Amino acid sequence: MSAILSAAVAFVHPCRGPPLVSPHGLPHDFPIFTARGGVMSAVDQRSTFVTVVAWIFIVLSGFGAIIGIMQNIMVQTIFRSEEFGQAMQTAPSQPGLPAFATFAIENVQWLFLAVLLVNVVMLVASIGLLKRRNWARLCFIALMVLSVVWQIVGLGIQASLFSTIRDQFAAAGAHGAPDMGVFFVVIAVMSVVFALAFGALFGWIAWKLMSKPITAEFGR
């Protein structure tokens, strides 16, 4: 009887100290409470969804950052040769080259650097997400939204490139080259399917991270 009264008093009048555990004899799944500033609160439950997503993107962005570092080293060393510089100056003047391809050729060093920075930001946000930091959750949501937008923009870029390449193959076909029309159609369909699939996945992750149960896991 005294043990029950002591547990009841401790529950009604919490104090600072170690977590208050359920009295002996109660089920093991009985809620455990901790005293924080005189207020009893249940121990936070961490969802498997956040942990799995965080670890997946830690691995992916980590590998991406390593590859990006090697790419930037290569760009800053090998691609600075005189021959490569001349090729970069003459390439944008090629007739029929899409605007995006011209921009990419003229700014290849900055594009590689931008890819590296995105991977580093994703890695930092993923680690913060694993630690349940709210700033990381907001940053991760923004990155997912940008990824959805990039899937849409990527489809437009691919369509422009395919149009140019298809015209070149069509001109070559007039001189006896094989018809590659079916091949381009298959590639275009696959590109749309993958873009929609990844766009839906990234959008679902962002939506899930904005849900109330997931938001409740994160502190400041």
Side-chain angles (χ1 to χ4, degrees), residues 47 49-50 137 208-218:
S47 64
F49 167 78
V50 176
R137 181 183 68 88
K208 191 77 173 177
L209 289 174
M210 291 187 291
S211 62
K212 289 184 178 180
I214 299 298
T215 304
E217 300 181 28
F218 292 81

Side-chain angles (χ1 to χ4, degrees), residues 2-218:
S2 60
I4 297 176
L5 290 176
S6 299
V9 171
F11 182 82
V12 176
H13 300 285
C15 59
R16 296 179 181 273
L20 301 177
V21 187
S22 58
H24 178 71
L26 291 178
H28 292 290
D29 58 350
F30 188 84
I32 299 176
F33 295 91
T34 56
R36 297 178 181 175
V39 179
M40 304 299 293
S41 61
V43 174
D44 295 334
Q45 297 295 327
R46 295 194 168 190
S47 64
T48 304
F49 167 78
V50 176
T51 302
V52 171
V53 169
W55 274 115
I56 289 175
F57 280 91
I58 285 173
V59 173
L60 293 178
S61 58
F63 277 116
I66 294 173
I67 294 173
I69 292 173
M70 293 188 295
Q71 288 176 335
N72 278 270
I73 292 174
M74 181 178 64
V75 168
Q76 298 299 329
T77 55
I78 300 176
F79 288 2
R80 282 187 175 275
S81 62
E82 183 178 352
E83 294 79 5
F84 184 79
Q86 293 177 353
M88 290 294 99
Q89 291 178 358
T90 58
S93 61
Q94 296 295 326
L97 199 65
F100 174 78
T102 302
F103 175 82
I105 293 172
E106 293 176 345
N107 301 275
V108 61
Q109 297 179 1
W110 296 108
L111 289 177
F112 277 111
L113 181 60
V115 172
L116 173 60
L117 291 177
V118 169
N119 279 287
V120 171
V121 172
M122 177 65 78
L123 178 60
V124 173
S126 300
I127 295 174
L129 192 72
L130 183 65
K131 295 184 177 182
R132 300 320 194 263
R133 301 291 188 264
N134 194 52
W135 61 264
R137 181 183 68 88
L138 297 176
C139 182
F140 206 89
I141 292 172
L143 289 172
M144 291 297 99
V145 173
L146 289 176
S147 298
V148 174
V149 174
W150 175 248
Q151 296 301 319
I152 299 173
V153 174
L155 285 177
I157 294 174
Q158 291 179 11
S160 176
L161 291 175
F162 282 165
S163 177
T164 302
I165 297 173
R166 187 173 58 250
D167 292 341
Q168 293 176 351
F169 272 94
H175 296 84
D179 184 13
M180 302 293 292
V182 177
F183 171 78
F184 284 113
V185 170
V186 172
I187 295 297
V189 171
M190 291 179 61
S191 299
V192 172
V193 170
F194 277 105
L196 292 177
F198 280 106
L201 176 62
F202 296 144
W204 176 74
I205 292 175
W207 171 80
K208 191 77 173 177
L209 289 174
M210 291 187 291
S211 62
K212 289 184 178 180
I214 299 298
T215 304
E217 300 181 28
F218 292 81

